[in-house]
Amino acid sequence: MYELIKKDGLAKRGVLHTVHGDIQTPVFMNVGTAAAIKGAVSTEDLGQLKTQVELSNTYHLHVRPGDEIVKKLGGLHKFMVWDKPILTDSGGFQVFSLADLRKIKEEGVYFHSHVDGRKIFMGPEQSMQIQSNLASTIAMAFDECAPALADKTYVKNSVERTTRWLKRCKTEMNRLNGLEDTINKNQMLFGINQGAIFDDIRIEHARQITEMDLDGYAIGGLAVGETHEQMYHILDVTVPHLPVDKPTYLMGVGTPENILEGVARGVDFFDCVYPTRNGRHGHVYTNQGKLNLFNQKFELDDRPIEEGCNCPACRRYSRAYIRHLLKAKEMLGMRLCVMHNLYFYNTMMEEIRDAIEAGNYRSYMDDKLYGMKQGQS
Ligand SMILES: [Zn+2]
């Protein structure tokens, strides 16, 4: 159950109560695609990084090791040794972006695995069954993420099918949660708003899915090629049509700037691969902008990545040392950068929550954005 604690402008400060503990929002979910945070960061490490929610990918885990195997081992929480909330995506995004030779039908999607080429079928029921086997805290509805450049007729038909699929997801989830051997019988379901960059389709779809009284609502199909301005515009027109007393999740977004702008428009759940992916490439976030640790100028820099940062990397190691590790292709270099970046994102979310509670979100955001623009290197 979601509790709205405070609003500051459109910014929401809430808490989602789950069987795996409370999620304080706004929250950034840390992406562990195949049940691991890339960069050799364990769930034990996450405990030091202020992580509230781990996000895993249904498609990847279905293909390898297989959701039936995860179920036999007691579900994802037990498998990866993490007792806090987990969100699983529906597999839809990967099916539409990664898999080969897909064929979309009313019943679902036929495609070939990107690992071994075997033929797989996934529809709303299969996605719910896989997520139920994984036993995540929050399951996402199976939807089609239409291509960014699709025309309006295509998008309209696609969204109508996504609505029909959502009804099937809800029915199947209710059935699965009532079964004797289901690991998490309290699994929550979030619906996903689609409609590409068409205001009227987005709004109509938001109204339709709101009527279905789900546990939360996501905005999908953004950050797939449109401009930041288009994304903010879609949030401006869509979020007011989603229920304020339920979680609002902007999928796959984004940079610290995108998150700050999203919060200002009423979004309170985020996820993105940027902090982990950038960390693996030696790009680290600071309050003065992003640094590229491969840069020559850090060769003799004995300061931490960010002065005053309390993360496991900054507490002990210098920019010069981490730069050396990255150049020598030592795995520790990646690991330290990823840990710093996740800590940076999770700490920013903490500051965002404090600012909303204090009623000064707008000035916090302006200061933060100004600072990050300064020392970009
Ligand atoms: Zn740090």
Side-chain angles (χ1 to χ4, degrees), residues 49-66:
L49 303 177
K50 306 183 186 180
T51 302
Q52 295 195 72
V53 185
E54 191 274 345
L55 185 155
S56 281
N57 292 112
T58 289
Y59 167 77
H60 287 284
L61 294 172
H62 175 58
V63 171
R64 186 172 52 197

Side-chain angles (χ1 to χ4, degrees), residues 305-306 309-311 313-314 340 343:
I305 295 171
E306 175 141 51
C309 174
N310 211 20
C311 84
C314 294
H340 168 81
Y343 189 90

Side-chain angles (χ1 to χ4, degrees), residues 347-371:
T347 300
M348 183 180 82
M349 302 317 291
E350 203 171 67
E351 293 168 3
I352 289 173
R353 293 192 293 271
D354 290 346
I356 297 172
E357 278 186 25
N360 60 10
Y361 181 68
R362 181 52 69 168
S363 67
Y364 162 78
M365 171 176 152
D366 291 345
D367 289 350
K368 192 86 174 171
L369 288 173
Y370 181 79

Side-chain angles (χ1 to χ4, degrees), residues 284-285 304-315 322 336-337 339-341 343-344:
V284 289
Y285 293 89
I305 295 171
E306 175 141 51
E307 310 268 8
C309 174
N310 211 20
C311 84
C314 294
R315 280 203 309 261
I322 299 171
L336 293 173
C337 290
M339 289 205 284
H340 168 81
N341 280 354
Y343 189 90
F344 177 88

Side-chain angles (χ1 to χ4, degrees), residues 37-53:
I37 306 279
K38 287 188 195 296
V41 174
S42 71
T43 47
E44 192 176 359
D45 297 319
L46 293 184
Q48 295 187 65
L49 303 177
K50 306 183 186 180
T51 302
Q52 295 195 72
V53 185

Side-chain angles (χ1 to χ4, degrees), residues 204-225:
E204 178 55 26
H205 192 230
R207 287 200 186 117
Q208 285 173 3
I209 62 177
T210 299
E211 280 171 15
M212 295 174 64
D213 192 28
L214 302 166
D215 298 302
Y217 294 90
I219 298 162
L222 292 176
V224 292

Side-chain angles (χ1 to χ4, degrees), residues 159-176:
V159 168
E160 283 169 2
R161 184 171 47 225
T162 285
T163 309
R164 294 192 293 276
W165 283 358
L166 179 56
K167 288 181 184 143
R168 285 164 53 188
C169 285
K170 193 182 176 188
T171 305
E172 181 64 6
M173 163 80 60
N174 287 340
R175 187 186 74 80
L176 292 163

